[in-house]
Amino acid sequence: MNKIVTFGEIMMRLGTPGNTRFEQSNSFDATFGGGEANVSVSLSHFGLESMHITRFPDNAIGHAATNFLRSNKVDVSGIQYGGERIGLYFLETGGSVRPSKIIYDRKNSAFDEIQPGTIDWDSILDGATWFHWTGISPAISKGAAVCCKEAIDAAHQKGITVSGDLNYRKNLWRYGKTPQEVMPDLISKCDLLIASPWDAENIMGITTDNPDNEKEEILVYSKIMKQFPKVKKIINTKRTTISSNHNLLIGQLFDGKNIIKSKQYEINPIVDRIGGGDAFVSGYIYGNLILKNNQEAIEFAVAASVLKHTIEGDVNITNVEEVNNLIKGNTGKLIR
Amino acid sequence: MNKIVTFGEIMMRLGTPGNTRFEQSNSFDATFGGGEANVSVSLSHFGLESMHITRFPDNAIGHAATNFLRSNKVDVSGIQYGGERIGLYFLETGGSVRPSKIIYDRKNSAFDEIQPGTIDWDSILDGATWFHWTGISPAISKGAAVCCKEAIDAAHQKGITVSGDLNYRKNLWRYGKTPQEVMPDLISKCDLLIASPWDAENIMGITTDNPDNEKEEILVYSKIMKQFPKVKKIINTKRTTISSNHNLLIGQLFDGKNIIKSKQYEINPIVDRIGGGDAFVSGYIYGNLILKNNQEAIEFAVAASVLKHTIEGDVNITNVEEVNNLIKGNTGKLIR
Amino acid sequence: MNKIVTFGEIMMRLGTPGNTRFEQSNSFDATFGGGEANVSVSLSHFGLESMHITRFPDNAIGHAATNFLRSNKVDVSGIQYGGERIGLYFLETGGSVRPSKIIYDRKNSAFDEIQPGTIDWDSILDGATWFHWTGISPAISKGAAVCCKEAIDAAHQKGITVSGDLNYRKNLWRYGKTPQEVMPDLISKCDLLIASPWDAENIMGITTDNPDNEKEEILVYSKIMKQFPKVKKIINTKRTTISSNHNLLIGQLFDGKNIIKSKQYEINPIVDRIGGGDAFVSGYIYGNLILKNNQEAIEFAVAASVLKHTIEGDVNITNVEEVNNLIKGNTGKLIR
Amino acid sequence: MNKIVTFGEIMMRLGTPGNTRFEQSNSFDATFGGGEANVSVSLSHFGLESMHITRFPDNAIGHAATNFLRSNKVDVSGIQYGGERIGLYFLETGGSVRPSKIIYDRKNSAFDEIQPGTIDWDSILDGATWFHWTGISPAISKGAAVCCKEAIDAAHQKGITVSGDLNYRKNLWRYGKTPQEVMPDLISKCDLLIASPWDAENIMGITTDNPDNEKEEILVYSKIMKQFPKVKKIINTKRTTISSNHNLLIGQLFDGKNIIKSKQYEINPIVDRIGGGDAFVSGYIYGNLILKNNQEAIEFAVAASVLKHTIEGDVNITNVEEVNNLIKGNTGKLIR
Amino acid sequence: MNKIVTFGEIMMRLGTPGNTRFEQSNSFDATFGGGEANVSVSLSHFGLESMHITRFPDNAIGHAATNFLRSNKVDVSGIQYGGERIGLYFLETGGSVRPSKIIYDRKNSAFDEIQPGTIDWDSILDGATWFHWTGISPAISKGAAVCCKEAIDAAHQKGITVSGDLNYRKNLWRYGKTPQEVMPDLISKCDLLIASPWDAENIMGITTDNPDNEKEEILVYSKIMKQFPKVKKIINTKRTTISSNHNLLIGQLFDGKNIIKSKQYEINPIVDRIGGGDAFVSGYIYGNLILKNNQEAIEFAVAASVLKHTIEGDVNITNVEEVNNLIKGNTGKLIR
Amino acid sequence: MNKIVTFGEIMMRLGTPGNTRFEQSNSFDATFGGGEANVSVSLSHFGLESMHITRFPDNAIGHAATNFLRSNKVDVSGIQYGGERIGLYFLETGGSVRPSKIIYDRKNSAFDEIQPGTIDWDSILDGATWFHWTGISPAISKGAAVCCKEAIDAAHQKGITVSGDLNYRKNLWRYGKTPQEVMPDLISKCDLLIASPWDAENIMGITTDNPDNEKEEILVYSKIMKQFPKVKKIINTKRTTISSNHNLLIGQLFDGKNIIKSKQYEINPIVDRIGGGDAFVSGYIYGNLILKNNQEAIEFAVAASVLKHTIEGDVNITNVEEVNNLIKGNTGKLIR
């Protein structure tokens, strides 16, 4: 059976209920999520074995976070406990033309303070078929960056498929290193990238005047592959934001030559868009491992992502049958 | 004054709050509903006298179900108490492209175990002007089927108008009889059917290649009327499902010659579509009894159904003034 | 710094949660609001100094109302305490084609029974740059009408800008006076009116066959200005109601010659439309005081109003940066 | 079968959730209650036929109040509709040493404005065995006082048992009459009084230095009976308030000679003490009609009242079996 | 490491919120629990390995039940999926002198219909140190009884400690067998019983006139041990019910000669007493496996049970440190 | 009018609802509190002028915290904005014998990083009559300690009464200084201390074998006053913890010679004990400023504290009339 390992921070998410604003709310809905763990959770719901590596404080909040993963059938046996706090983010869900807002409070978290050399990647990756990371981890702290590199190196050495979601965030990267210094080494050992022209510009300095022109876009991705020859596929989504509640979504895959596009979906209303990108990645990993070809994989990936937008919380609680149902065209008929 | 009697099972509905999935929810919103009782409730809100016959367990849950009907001004004096449980259904409300899901848990309910000959239809139907049943009752159990037949026979004999909503459900019909064996006798004493080509095919074997072609549809309904000459009208709705939250709805009536169509309504967002069909039936019964002609009746029926989609729960808490308001074109202006 | 003073009743609003109907609800969400106080609150969120004058009962409910204003940074030092009750209104929020409904219960409120001569307008308006009132106050009771006149007179004498939102409500005006008797005197001292052809007809008897024709509309406004030469600008909004949840909104300003129109916004779904008009007024006051020209002011006003529709409660909890964000085109992109 | 008719105002009760204070709460739990209607509801749960006469506004709030009674199986066919508002009261539930607080907002209610001669007592009381009123109604307004008198006179003439709960409230009685002017006439036609020495002093001027001395108390009740010879029994409860949550309760009955006392109950914690007195009255009415003797009746009455303290809302949702269970000594063993 | 295996039904529990009665509630709090699974959950929180064997329907409700166990770190790999429904019970939480009420709806559940021979006990019990069952399973259905016997036989053969909680319920046992026919064989292979004189009378016909007399009680337990010589210890609790919210609890153990008693605890208020007995059993199993002697074990057992009464739901979410804290005397000092 | 200035950190408090444990909860009730701000809030509810100085992040969470103070009528004009986060604490409310638990997450907060010299104490304290601080501030960080010292020095110089609540917490004091190094200087300028023998031992090294012996206790306080001659009074409370919900409370004051004790109160059940000590301090400050003598002041202080235990949240929303009500003996009689 396939086993996927993911690595990254998990935060407690504190969201105002319904559409209330931060200033109006006297309670928060609490859940947990993180770009990489979201992938593990989704894959376990697709029936694959998944394991997530992270670091939690050894207190009731950290244990609740572990229980969250455990209840979603993610292998939690490799989680490290230590540090003083879990990272948090506050979420205010927008409505119509009012955007959602996130306030991060993740500094000095248990994960932020993770130490190099403390994770036994060799035994964790034993028997794994896939390792997934994102550009958030190397951006958080030196320790997280080194741990991430250790994992990628170990996976690379074991011949395990490696995927990296570049996910450039300019507000992170405050520990003294730049993405240009850190990322290329990590990317060079990846088989699959989740990347946009925006990431290419900020991380690799590959610029284009018109990223919306498909030819230009192909040029960007080709340059990435030239620079990082192990990378064989680049995937991402194209989102059109009509309003907070109303988006259009397409998935696409560059196979080195062409861009393969999925069907476009209309999502209205969006229940919760956080984790939509992670659901896309997990859908693609499932597709890559189980389905026949790139087209099927990218269709599965985008449909999985679309369904995530209809589910509360960061993680995609959807099974394969439900994704296929959507692909086959049931966009809302009552199921008895 | 008009008095309408309905007969059928009422279930407790346990719905996850908001858009939460079954796996996410640690509470359920509870209400009660059933295809026939929903009609009684709606008619009482339209100002008519209505009475519902069913069977509940003689415990606090059964009493709560009775109170629900009572608070909606339905005559509950004919309800039978006995058996061990109330039927249940679990509802997960979808969102956008994610469909709503129902899990039934209705076997061995008090109604399922109702016994023939235990209801005094003669006195219950005394003074009634209309009796309404659905194809659910004869599908549940032999006892329910026989009780339903007893009611229809009694109504027929008393010259009371009888309407039947065929409502074919292939997951029911597990007690040893087929719809083909049971239903024709019941249908033969009806004045009005709520029926679709799909029902016609499954219950009467009347098939058509293209039910979406109006001529074909007329042919189907004509064949039904030929087979069951007491039936003078066949009504139903045409629903276009854009998404879980966004439907289009038309009502139509076949008068033996032509299909009379209502205006088409756009419903977006749908608050709760369960009971939308029952609201249509009750709207039509009201229209048939009170309004001037088929066109007005079918307009009233579809507008009532559309309003039901905006109301939480199975039952249609709407009065005649509100339905007329919608028919006159107020689709959302604040009423002070 | 600019200081704006507003005068008018504040009611407790008791709204059914979500989409539940009055008959279904066993709890109410409680907040406070009133057409003039809503303007003060919004202006304080725009960073201006604002003060609201009203009358509350001297009990825990009245104090809670004061706290509500205070938490929104409105100067409450001029509030009068007395009387026996706070006015109330019950709100049922509609959905899709079902309209929202308001049931007022405001008679005999503390504000309703306010007495002439009890407010020291001279000291309250000291240092103020703007005074705002609406046509609700003179419609409630004789006492409120006289107090409103006292305020307008004092402001006029001090050379403070006066704005009046005519807001004709035929269900009010029950204390023995007609708007035709009371309003002209108040309007005559205003610099700015918020008024529609509907108000013009009902209050001033200025009629037009076709208020939707812009030329006709200009004629109406010109007649108003002729009758009330101090009035230099008339503003209002044009709302298209597609459904309870889906409206289109334009703002416009008549400068004595031309109608200047804002961009049209689509709002879907509406979270809460109560107070949308007041948000428009406060946006315009901000624009008038701070921005460069009429076009900018009216764009700010309508964008502020549109944002109000996405926020729960009567008041517009939005800052200048958020309004500008919408004006610049961010209609829903997540802000991290 | 016994049929009991009650007459009096029903208010909407708006209670802060849990232990939140008025200043802290942004929602209210809503229910309905009134001293006389609470008796009707309780009696219907005891299996007797009951009917309540009151006046509601003819709007959705008034209809919701009717539905509340209807769902509790109270006959609502005699309710009058009219007026503009329902009376309200706000409730803050205390905790430990902090007392609960009530803020009334009942003036100008539909009931307050009820008109003499508008209720057909003759037909309403047809077939009734008991009529119950309280001293609240004659205290509210002249109209209510006269209607109450009409009812008592009609019941008296028909030979129906009349009970009156004196319930003196000094904050009411503001319409120009004193209790001394109005009450004696009403009391003179009663068979049973619910009265304390406090009521005797305030309404009849019967004073005592030491109401806690049983001999003195007997003297007071004897004087009442002398003054009102139709009165054959006087009942009431003795409450010891240890804290908001912890009370002791005894019921007692004066039969003209002796005071018969019930067992004393400890109630800790109290879930909701509103309506505890009304539950006592309904328990006594049940006991008087159905049980063997005064001792059994007073034991049933106090046990019913004690159970009310464990139930949320104004009304006592308890059946006879549950009251007997408590009388037999089950003070908390789980019932499966 | 110790591994404990438990076997039995898990039901969905639907509880009315707070103190609301069944007739008042329009929502239910949902959780899962069952006498044997509660033991497994508690043991996993004590840091031991535990595994629960049961049968769930293969639908979203069944999966949610599995997730519940999984999040509590119970090994779910042996759960069987099939059947049509999960058993339910409705819970109304009492208050003060009003008892809590349970309405069961567990017939025809997936577990009820479990088939003999379908569980591979040999591999499930591999490596286990303890097997626990209760008298509920053999009372439910023939299939459950046989499966339970298979498990006990396999455990017995492997030399695994077996504990049985007799838990006689007269409302079960409806499939045609009596406890006298079925239980002795199961009991004969147990090392530890949880049993009261009441169980002894109903299951084994061992009677006593005065079970509250300790000498008599010792006689009863001695007779049990004589009849079932493998049984070496009998434990149970003594509960004094002051009210629904206020209980006293003692644990005791009969070692064949003497009754060893724990300290008595006062619990006031009780948050949730369901599962209190199961918490006692799990506390004892922990004590038996880890602690030094009978006294320590029974003290741990009763303290664990007492803590369960302070925790919502059926299962005891308490760790060893917390139980020891209580044993050491911290009955409520804030822990920072 | 008296004006009291307080200085210290305010945290967001995230509490699990009702009695749910951290591991069970998927939402948190949010409020704000801090030992010094709690004093300011309480004093403003007592009708005095109060002002709080703290530092919040300049984001929506920080603004919500400011609004919280503002709605409680605390002067917020001296609050400093900056830094990245607000300190948090997670609260799990215990029940019966289960203690409440707090998990702090306050490091690196805006207040923690406050810089010396950034607060203009001279103008802030202008016109003040009282300055209050606690031992938390000097324990948090060097910056906070220095700011606290600046405030005390300024107050001392201006002749303003200074009170300090020693409040020793061994888990704080992690920035490199010990309380012995920092505190004496601060204490030496205080007029009033809130201190226990425990504080005396840990901060000043004044030990006693038997702090529960009143003579020993007097000795401790006398030594403190000898060491710090400006200190004229030492107050504190004596709490007996029967359970999480049930405490006894006495207040006491040492005037240099004797210990003056208040009445003892029983609090059962406790709604929320957080902030009980701060309520005591504010009650004493009120008493010291307004009441006649030490006995009255300490009675007011403890009654205020007792009432706080019945109110949700950190702050004491109680007015003088309510405190006096309790002092006069109303421990729970309904107030209409």
Side-chain angles (χ1 to χ4, degrees), chain F residues 261-282:
Chain F
K261 279 188 186 320
S262 77
K263 194 188 147 189
Q264 173 169 286
Y265 286 90
E266 181 162 15
I267 323 170
N268 185 15
I270 293 170
V271 173
D272 190 331
R273 61 150 282 186
I274 311 294
D278 308 321
F280 175 74
V281 174
S282 57

Side-chain angles (χ1 to χ4, degrees), chain D residues 245-259:
Chain D
N245 304 77
H246 186 184
N247 285 191
L248 309 178
L249 201 71
I250 295 180
Q252 62 179 30
L253 175 151
F254 178 69
D255 63 2
K257 287 186 189 162
N258 302 304
I259 285 181

Side-chain angles (χ1 to χ4, degrees), chain D residues 175-191:
Chain D
Y175 64 92
K177 295 272 183 184
T178 64
Q180 292 78 9
E181 294 172 277
V182 175
M183 294 287 282
D185 182 27
L186 307 181
I187 293 171
S188 68
K189 287 157 194 152
C190 286
D191 302 274

Side-chain angles (χ1 to χ4, degrees), chain D residues 53-300:
Chain D
I53 307 300
T54 190
R55 187 164 185 254
F56 288 140
D58 191 13
N59 62 24
I61 305 294
H63 301 162
T66 303
N67 289 352
F68 174 77
L69 290 178
R70 195 182 269 132
S71 78
N72 281 291
K73 219 181 161 171
V74 172
D75 186 337
V76 298
S77 61
I79 291 175
Q80 196 179 108
Y81 294 91
E84 299 207 10
R85 63 183 302 257
I86 195 165
L88 302 171
Y89 75 94
F90 294 93
L91 171 67
E92 176 188 282
T93 299
S96 184
V97 299
R98 178 163 59 83
S100 292
K101 280 175 65 177
I102 287 180
I103 297 177
Y104 286 103
D105 176 13
R106 64 195 298 179
K107 281 208 337 190
N108 305 110
S109 70
F111 185 83
D112 185 358
E113 298 174 351
I114 199 168
Q115 292 306 310
T118 57
I119 303 171
D120 181 359
W121 289 111
D122 198 56
S123 78
I124 281 167
L125 291 170
D126 199 44
T129 45
W130 198 292
F131 174 75
H132 177 69
W133 63 282
T134 80
I136 305 288
S137 297
I140 286 176
S141 67
K142 200 176 162 193
V146 175
C147 287
C148 193
K149 180 174 155 49
E150 292 168 3
I152 294 168
D153 287 347
H156 182 60
Q157 235 167 339
K158 285 173 179 277
I160 296 168
T161 306
V162 176
S163 58
D165 183 349
L166 301 193
N167 209 343
Y168 173 70
R169 302 259 183 93
K170 76 173 166 208
N171 292 333
L172 295 170
W173 293 103
R174 304 200 290 184
Y175 64 92
K177 295 272 183 184
T178 64
Q180 292 78 9
E181 294 172 277
V182 175
M183 294 287 282
D185 182 27
L186 307 181
I187 293 171
S188 68
K189 287 157 194 152
C190 286
D191 302 274
L192 169 73
L193 291 186
I194 299 90
S196 66
W198 161 263
D199 294 317
E201 179 170 350
N202 285 289
I203 295 169
M204 308 157 186
I206 300 171
T207 59
T208 170
D209 287 348
N210 188 359
D212 292 339
N213 176 295
E214 195 171 308
K215 282 193 186 159
E216 291 284 321
E217 208 182 346
I218 286 177
L219 215 61
V220 169
Y221 300 148
S222 300
K223 284 183 189 166
I224 295 177
M225 287 196 182
K226 201 161 178 190
Q227 197 172 332
F228 302 102
K230 197 187 172 204
V231 173
K232 294 291 176 251
K233 291 177 189 173
I234 296 175
I235 61 171
N236 61 31
T237 55
K238 298 268 170 184
R239 179 186 298 274
T240 308
T241 299
I242 295 171
S243 78
S244 233
N245 304 77
H246 186 184
N247 285 191
L248 309 178
L249 201 71
I250 295 180
Q252 62 179 30
L253 175 151
F254 178 69
D255 63 2
K257 287 186 189 162
N258 302 304
I259 285 181
I260 299 167
K261 279 189 185 318
S262 78
K263 194 187 148 188
Q264 173 169 285
Y265 286 91
E266 182 162 15
I267 324 169
N268 185 13
I270 292 170
V271 173
D272 189 330
R273 62 149 283 187
I274 313 294
D278 308 321
F280 174 74
V281 175
S282 58
Y284 182 75
I285 294 176
Y286 175 85
N288 191 285
L289 290 171
I290 307 290
L291 300 179
K292 281 185 307 201
N293 55 42
N294 285 339
Q295 186 70 45
E296 283 196 12
I298 204 75
E299 292 291 355
F300 192 91

Side-chain angles (χ1 to χ4, degrees), chain F residues 36-331:
Chain F
E36 306 84 1
N38 297 348
V39 170
S40 257
V41 169
S42 184
L43 288 168
S44 94
H45 283 279
F46 291 154
L48 304 185
E49 241 177 80
S50 69
M51 182 186 209
H52 185 67
I53 308 300
T54 190
R55 188 166 187 254
F56 287 139
D58 191 12
N59 62 23
I61 306 293
H63 301 162
T66 303
N67 289 351
F68 175 77
L69 290 178
R70 195 182 271 133
S71 79
N72 281 292
K73 217 179 162 173
V74 172
D75 185 336
V76 298
S77 62
I79 292 176
Q80 197 180 106
Y81 294 90
E84 301 208 8
R85 64 182 303 257
I86 194 165
L88 303 172
Y89 75 93
F90 294 93
L91 171 66
E92 177 188 282
T93 299
S96 182
V97 300
R98 178 163 60 83
S100 292
K101 281 175 66 176
I102 286 180
I103 297 176
Y104 286 103
D105 176 13
R106 66 196 297 178
K107 283 210 334 190
N108 305 109
S109 70
F111 185 85
D112 185 359
E113 297 173 353
I114 199 168
Q115 292 306 310
T118 56
I119 303 171
D120 180 0
W121 289 110
D122 198 55
S123 78
I124 281 167
L125 292 169
D126 199 44
T129 45
W130 198 291
F131 175 74
H132 177 68
W133 62 283
T134 80
I136 305 287
S137 296
I140 286 175
S141 67
K142 202 178 163 192
V146 175
C147 287
C148 193
K149 180 175 156 44
E150 292 169 3
I152 293 167
D153 287 348
H156 181 60
Q157 236 168 338
K158 285 173 178 278
I160 295 168
T161 304
V162 176
S163 59
D165 182 349
L166 302 191
N167 208 344
Y168 174 69
R169 301 261 182 92
K170 75 173 168 208
N171 291 335
L172 295 171
W173 293 104
R174 303 200 291 185
Y175 64 92
K177 295 272 183 185
T178 64
Q180 292 77 10
E181 293 173 277
V182 175
M183 294 287 283
D185 182 25
L186 307 181
I187 293 170
S188 68
K189 286 156 195 153
C190 286
D191 302 273
L192 169 73
L193 291 185
I194 299 91
S196 66
W198 162 263
D199 294 317
E201 179 170 350
N202 285 287
I203 295 168
M204 309 157 183
I206 299 171
T207 60
T208 170
D209 287 348
N210 187 357
D212 292 339
N213 176 296
E214 196 171 309
K215 283 194 186 163
E216 291 283 322
E217 208 183 345
I218 287 178
L219 214 63
V220 168
Y221 300 148
S222 300
K223 284 184 187 166
I224 294 177
M225 287 196 180
K226 200 162 181 189
Q227 199 172 330
F228 302 102
K230 197 186 173 206
V231 174
K232 294 293 177 249
K233 290 178 190 171
I234 296 175
I235 61 170
N236 61 30
T237 55
K238 298 268 172 184
R239 180 186 297 273
T240 308
T241 299
I242 295 170
S243 77
S244 233
N245 304 76
H246 187 184
N247 284 193
L248 309 178
L249 202 71
I250 295 180
Q252 62 178 28
L253 176 150
F254 179 68
D255 62 2
K257 289 187 186 160
N258 302 303
I259 285 180
I260 297 167
K261 279 188 186 320
S262 77
K263 194 188 147 189
Q264 173 169 286
Y265 286 90
E266 181 162 15
I267 323 170
N268 185 15
I270 293 170
V271 173
D272 190 331
R273 61 150 282 186
I274 311 294
D278 308 321
F280 175 74
V281 174
S282 57
Y284 183 74
I285 294 175
Y286 176 86
N288 192 286
L289 290 170
I290 307 291
L291 300 178
K292 283 186 305 202
N293 56 41
N294 285 340
Q295 187 69 44
E296 283 195 14
I298 205 76
E299 293 292 353
F300 192 90
V302 78
S305 178
V306 165
L307 278 172
K308 167 59 203 69
H309 290 74
T310 73
I311 292 167
E312 288 171 6
D314 279 42
V315 303
N316 194 20
I317 301 182
T318 316
N319 60 36
V320 170
E321 185 189 349
E322 291 173 323
V323 179
N324 283 331
N325 232 324
L326 176 56
I327 292 171
K328 285 175 201 152
N330 181 358
T331 58

Side-chain angles (χ1 to χ4, degrees), chain B residues 240-302:
Chain B
T240 308
T241 299
I242 294 170
S243 79
S244 234
N245 305 76
H246 187 184
N247 285 191
L248 310 178
L249 201 72
I250 295 179
Q252 62 179 30
L253 176 151
F254 179 69
D255 62 1
K257 288 189 185 157
N258 302 303
I259 285 179
I260 298 167
K261 279 186 186 321
S262 77
K263 193 187 146 186
Q264 173 168 286
Y265 286 90
E266 180 161 16
I267 323 170
N268 185 14
I270 292 171
V271 173
D272 189 331
R273 63 149 281 187
I274 311 295
D278 308 321
F280 174 73
V281 174
S282 57
Y284 182 74
I285 294 176
Y286 176 85
N288 191 286
L289 290 170
I290 306 292
L291 301 178
K292 282 185 307 201
N293 55 41
N294 285 340
Q295 186 69 44
E296 283 196 12
I298 204 75
E299 291 292 355
F300 192 91
V302 77

